């Protein structure tokens, strides 16, 4: 399957939604014409047969369950989806239903693409917090699933090297993790740790900002979302990125490819910092020796990334069509569909009921640790229209630091760029 971080931003979040103005989006122009009211739905799922099969099942079931509305799906390749949305928004021709990358949602809401979702609170409250997109106190999007990060290891390797196996209740401290990595390097692993640094784009914010948050920093001051000063360049951030740089200068990790989990599968690295989308392959190749371990505690508890693709309703969708869109979404969030989606795509179900029924994430599922980590440690990326700029500047700073740049100057430059963007857009206040 496509990895959900490719799904989260394969087309580059910055290039598609970093907008500087507000373009109010129109409706899709569909009308009832005497028959069922037509509800057009856009997805980024073209080329993903497993995902499309679940969508088709839900749509067929919904359309067959009533005669008032008819949902019609249109699928776009991942690489062209966001461009299609921005073009349609400019022409006031958005569909009523569309999926949106979780961290991009606040920018889309601010830009006038989306209206508040308006689903029953009992439904949105039943979802994982990171599967619900909130902006300025309102729910704009909701999703069927989430992803999470963990550390993959082989039990035999840790036991052989007398390294404690961490748990969600007692994760590795940073000192303990560093000692384990040194011991694994001394045992013969030329590069003991794969941090995923060969990847690019949204992965960098998704993967490494939780580490920063665990250390006590953040990408922006979340009290008002008006500045990155002190959060991205304060003492905690400098300490974390100093460690991040050390991991590469010490030869614990490299930025060499391939992207993904292949180095761990080939036993070229002992520890792999990766996501749930790589777990099924690891299970098949490594078998019962596979350990799915919690992220490292950098001082303020383990953190893992949260927030993925979710559903929204376009701002220009008419009253009748909006009612149909909400009826469809309410229907679609049944546990049986969320379980099917999660098990087809190997992603974490968004409800407790769907999780309990999942073959992978249920009580006896081999990927159960991911559901636990998501519930306990997930942190959404900052819910601000400035996020595309934040993500891009975070990636640049982290890569510069990885490659030897001064830590504080690199972070100060990122803060300056982020704060300039926020100021240029008048604090994204409207």
């Amino acid at each position: 399957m496509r990895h959900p971080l490719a799904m989260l931003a394969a087309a580059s979040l910055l290039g598609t939604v970093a907008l500087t103005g507000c373009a109010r989006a129109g409706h899709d122009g569909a009308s009832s014409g005497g028959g069922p009211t037509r509800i057009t739905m856009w997805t980024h799922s073209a080329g993903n047969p497993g995902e499309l099969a679940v969508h088709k099942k839900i749509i067929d079931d919904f359309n067959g369950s009533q005669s008032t509305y008819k949902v019609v799906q249109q699928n776009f390749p991942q690489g062209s989806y966001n461009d299609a949305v921005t073009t349609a928004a400019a022409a006031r021709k958005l569909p009523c239903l569309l999926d949106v990358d979780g961290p991009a949602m606040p920018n889309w809401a601010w830009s006038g693409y989306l209206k508040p979702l308006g689903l029953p609170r009992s439904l949105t409250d039943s979802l994982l917090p990171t599967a619900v997109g909130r902006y300025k106190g309102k729910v704009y999007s909701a999703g069927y699933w989430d992803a999470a990060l963990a550390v993959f290891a082989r039990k035999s390797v840790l036991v052989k090297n007398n390294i404690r196996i961490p748990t969600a209740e007692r994760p590795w401290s940073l000192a303990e993790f560093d000692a384990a990595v040194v011991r694994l390097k001394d045992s013969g692993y030329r590069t003991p740790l794969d941090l995923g640094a060969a990847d690019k784009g949204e992965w960098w914010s998704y993967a490494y900002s939780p580490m920063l948050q665990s250390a006590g920093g953040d990408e922006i001051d979340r009290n008002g979302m008006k500045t990155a000063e002190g959060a991205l360049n304060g003492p905690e951030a400098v300490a974390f990125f100093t460690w991040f740089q050390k991991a590469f200068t010490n030869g614990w990790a490299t930025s060499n490819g391939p992207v993904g989990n292949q180095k761990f599968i080939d036993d070229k690295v002992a520890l792999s910092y990766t996501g749930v989308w790589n777990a099924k392959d690891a299970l098949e190749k490594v078998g019962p020796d596979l350990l799915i371990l919690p992220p490292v505690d950098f001082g303020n508890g383990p953190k893992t990334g949260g927030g993925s693709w979710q559903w929204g309703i376009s701002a220009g969708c008419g009253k009748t069509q909006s009612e149909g869109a909400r009826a469809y979404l309410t229907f679609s969030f049944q546990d049986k569909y969320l379980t099917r989606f999660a098990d087809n795509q190997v992603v974490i179900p968004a409800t407790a009921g769907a999780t309990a029924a999942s073959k992978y994430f249920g009580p006896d599922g081999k990927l159960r640790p991911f559901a636990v980590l998501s519930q306990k440690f997930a942190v959404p990326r900052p819910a601000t229209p400035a996020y595309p700029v934040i993500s891009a500047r975070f990636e640049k700073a982290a890569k510069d630091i990885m490659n030897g740049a001064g830590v504080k100057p690199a972070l100060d430059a990122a803060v300056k760029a982020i704060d300039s963007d926020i100021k240029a857009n008048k604090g994204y206040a409207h």
Side-chain angles (χ1 to χ4, degrees):
M1 64 171 285
R2 290 178 299 172
H3 111 28
L5 260 298
M7 289 161 56
L8 283 172
S12 173
L13 190 61
L14 176 66
T16 55
V17 296
L19 310 175
T20 57
C22 204
R24 297 293 164 188
H27 62 76
D28 64 359
S31 62
S32 62
T37 298
R38 178 185 171 100
I39 311 295
T40 304
M41 183 177 93
W42 283 10
T43 82
H44 71 286
S45 304
N48 189 333
E51 192 168 324
L52 289 176
V54 181
H55 288 319
K56 184 178 186 303
K57 172 64 174 171
I58 300 171
I59 291 170
D60 288 349
D61 286 357
F62 175 75
N63 288 344
S65 72
Q66 45 76 53
S67 58
T68 305
Y69 309 107
K70 181 179 180 180
V71 174
V72 179
Q73 183 177 9
Q74 185 173 354
N75 306 305
F76 292 80
Q78 172 66 36
S80 63
Y81 177 72
N82 285 333
D83 287 341
V85 169
T86 53
T87 299
R92 302 180 65 82
K93 291 183 178 180
L94 280 175
C96 271
L97 277 169
L98 65 167
D99 59 0
V100 54
D101 194 356
M105 180 280 293
N107 191 285
W108 286 21
W110 171 78
S111 298
Y113 292 9
L114 303 174
K115 65 171 63 177
L117 201 56
L119 293 181
R121 182 171 176 177
S122 58
L123 191 160
T124 53
D125 283 353
S126 73
L127 304 177
L128 288 171
T130 49
V132 180
R134 289 182 167 86
Y135 176 57
K136 290 192 171 180
K138 297 180 180 180
V139 174
Y140 278 85
S141 60
Y144 301 151
W145 58 277
D146 207 352
L149 297 158
V151 177
F152 287 6
R154 286 172 169 82
K155 182 176 181 179
S156 59
V157 170
L158 297 191
V159 170
K160 179 181 177 181
N161 287 280
N162 197 28
I163 295 170
R164 181 180 70 85
I165 296 173
T167 65
E169 293 70 32
R170 191 183 165 212
W172 278 327
S173 67
L174 181 57
E176 197 175 8
F177 180 62
D178 284 357
V181 172
V182 169
R183 187 172 298 178
L184 291 165
K185 188 172 178 64
D186 290 344
S187 76
Y189 284 98
R190 182 176 179 181
T191 305
L193 175 63
D194 184 1
L195 285 173
D199 213 333
K200 60 184 179 180
E202 178 60 11
W203 162 257
W204 280 71
S205 177
Y206 177 77
Y208 307 129
S209 66
M211 292 181 172
L212 171 62
Q213 291 148 3
S214 177
D218 210 335
E219 295 177 293
I220 191 170
D221 182 348
R222 299 202 186 205
N223 183 20
M225 305 281 192
K226 299 301 184 185
T227 180
E229 183 68 40
L232 186 52
N233 63 350
E236 297 85 357
V238 171
F240 164 70
F241 277 107
T242 299
W243 174 88
F244 187 76
Q245 187 176 73
K246 181 178 74 171
F248 294 93
T249 57
N250 285 1
W252 297 350
T254 74
S255 58
N256 298 333
V259 173
N261 201 41
Q262 195 61 45
K263 287 191 282 189
F264 175 75
I265 287 172
D266 293 340
D267 202 21
K268 301 293 186 183
V269 299
L271 303 172
S272 178
Y273 180 59
T274 189
V276 65
W277 54 89
N278 284 322
K280 186 178 179 182
D281 191 41
L283 274 175
E284 291 171 351
K285 302 294 175 56
V286 179
D289 202 24
L290 178 68
L291 293 173
I292 300 170
L293 307 177
V296 175
D297 181 356
F298 283 81
N300 287 267
K303 310 294 180 187
T304 186
S308 51
W309 285 89
Q310 300 169 3
W311 292 104
I313 298 175
S314 67
C317 186
K319 182 176 184 294
T320 300
Q321 290 175 309
S322 293
E323 290 171 353
R326 293 187 187 104
Y328 169 76
L329 288 178
T330 300
F331 180 92
S332 76
F333 275 93
Q334 294 179 60
D335 285 342
K336 63 181 180 180
Y337 298 130
L338 273 60
T339 297
R340 181 177 294 199
F341 195 98
D343 286 350
N344 270 20
Q345 296 301 105
V346 195
V347 288
I348 301 162
T351 65
T355 301
S358 167
K359 67 180 180 182
Y360 290 119
F361 302 99
D364 299 320
K366 293 183 178 179
L367 303 184
R368 176 71 178 176
F370 276 106
V372 174
L373 296 179
S374 181
Q375 292 162 10
K376 290 177 69 72
F377 303 130
V379 179
R381 278 147 288 175
T384 167
Y387 182 74
V389 172
I390 291 170
S391 177
R393 291 300 177 174
F394 182 94
E395 179 185 5
K396 183 181 187 307
K399 284 184 173 178
D400 288 347
I401 290 167
M402 176 183 70
N403 291 320
V407 173
K408 187 66 162 60
L411 296 177
D412 285 343
V415 167
K416 182 177 179 181
I418 292 166
D419 284 7
S420 294
D421 171 75
I422 294 171
K423 184 178 179 181
N425 285 286
K426 299 179 180 179
Y428 291 101
H430 67 75

